[in-house]
Amino acid sequence: MPSLEKSDLQKIVGARIQKLREERGFTQVDLAGKIEGVFDTTNVSRLESGRTNPTLYNLHRIAEALEISLSELLDISEE
Amino acid sequence: MPSLEKSDLQKIVGARIQKLREERGFTQVDLAGKIEGVFDTTNVSRLESGRTNPTLYNLHRIAEALEISLSELLDISEE
DNA sequence: TCCAAACTTGGCATATTTGACAAGTCAAGG
DNA sequence: CCTTGACTTGTCAAATATGCCAAGTTTGGA
């Protein structure tokens, strides 16, 4: 685990969110709609492509919408 | 899992960081020093007390310093 | 009680996330 | 073609995370 770069970490987590979303047959708009409270679809796109560094709370809300635990969402051990 | 409030989530994760840090016998200054790159001790205090909403990358750097995976750091299932 | 280390808290400046909106790309149908 | 849905990308404003410094508090030991 040689100390991931910030942008690489973002890309890995973003790809994981996208994969989980697609497995569930959701569009980005669907996902944003399932997230508790307000969540912009623009932000879904930016997070999935690794362009931003998401906050704990937003990761938690995304995990909830994907019906997975935060811990599982961030289990990036095999990448 | 009834949709945690933002500040409750921050407090739970903060308490977990503090517990893991203390188990390793680190002070906040020690932990900040072990984190890759620049990390202010003020920020350690604020994160542990749940006063801020940390970013993915900082959570990753903290996990690294605690020699634990990000996924384990955020495994809050039993709280 | 005194001291020092550890931690908290406030303010400030900067960087970045985020929400919102608009415009653009792209692919699949009709 | 043309439209529609899905997604990307740019800009902007507001909120906030972060680094930094300074001052205050707490705690444990001598």
Side-chain angles (χ1 to χ4, degrees):
Chain A
M1 206 203 277
S3 198
L4 232 38
E5 290 274 351
K6 180 177 169 190
S7 82
D8 290 331
L9 175 68
Q10 292 174 189
K11 283 189 182 71
I12 289 170
V13 171
R16 181 151 173 75
I17 292 171
Q18 178 176 23
K19 175 172 163 256
L20 291 162
R21 170 177 66 78
E22 289 175 344
E23 279 174 5
R24 286 155 179 70
F26 299 163
T27 65
Q28 292 183 347
V29 173
D30 291 338
L31 179 61
K34 285 175 191 294
I35 292 173
E36 158 111 1
V38 178
F39 204 101
D40 200 86
T41 59
T42 305
N43 205 17
V44 175
S45 177
R46 284 194 273 237
L47 293 184
E48 284 190 358
S49 58
R51 237 168 290 114
T52 53
N53 183 19
T55 59
L56 172 64
Y57 183 57
N58 278 346
L59 290 167
H60 162 78
R61 288 198 293 162
I62 291 167
E64 239 182 1
L66 292 171
E67 298 179 274
I68 193 178
S69 72
L70 179 58
S71 179
E72 286 174 285
L73 178 63
L74 296 176
D75 180 7
I76 55 178
S77 45
E78 64 240 44
E79 342 266 329
Chain B
M1 204 199 280
S3 199
L4 233 38
E5 291 272 351
K6 181 176 167 187
S7 81
D8 291 332
L9 176 69
Q10 292 174 189
K11 283 189 183 70
I12 290 170
V13 171
R16 181 152 174 75
I17 291 171
Q18 178 177 22
K19 175 173 165 255
L20 291 162
R21 170 178 66 78
E22 289 175 344
E23 280 174 4
R24 286 156 180 70
F26 298 163
T27 66
Q28 290 183 349
V29 173
D30 290 338
L31 179 60
K34 285 177 190 294
I35 292 173
E36 158 111 1
V38 178
F39 204 99
D40 199 84
T41 60
T42 305
N43 204 18
V44 176
S45 176
R46 285 195 266 241
L47 292 184
E48 284 190 358
S49 58
R51 239 167 293 116
T52 54
N53 184 18
T55 59
L56 172 64
Y57 183 57
N58 279 347
L59 290 166
H60 163 78
R61 287 197 293 162
I62 290 167
E64 241 181 0
L66 292 170
E67 297 178 274
I68 194 179
S69 72
L70 179 59
S71 179
E72 286 174 284
L73 177 64
L74 296 176
D75 181 7
I76 55 178
S77 45
E78 64 240 45
E79 344 265 328

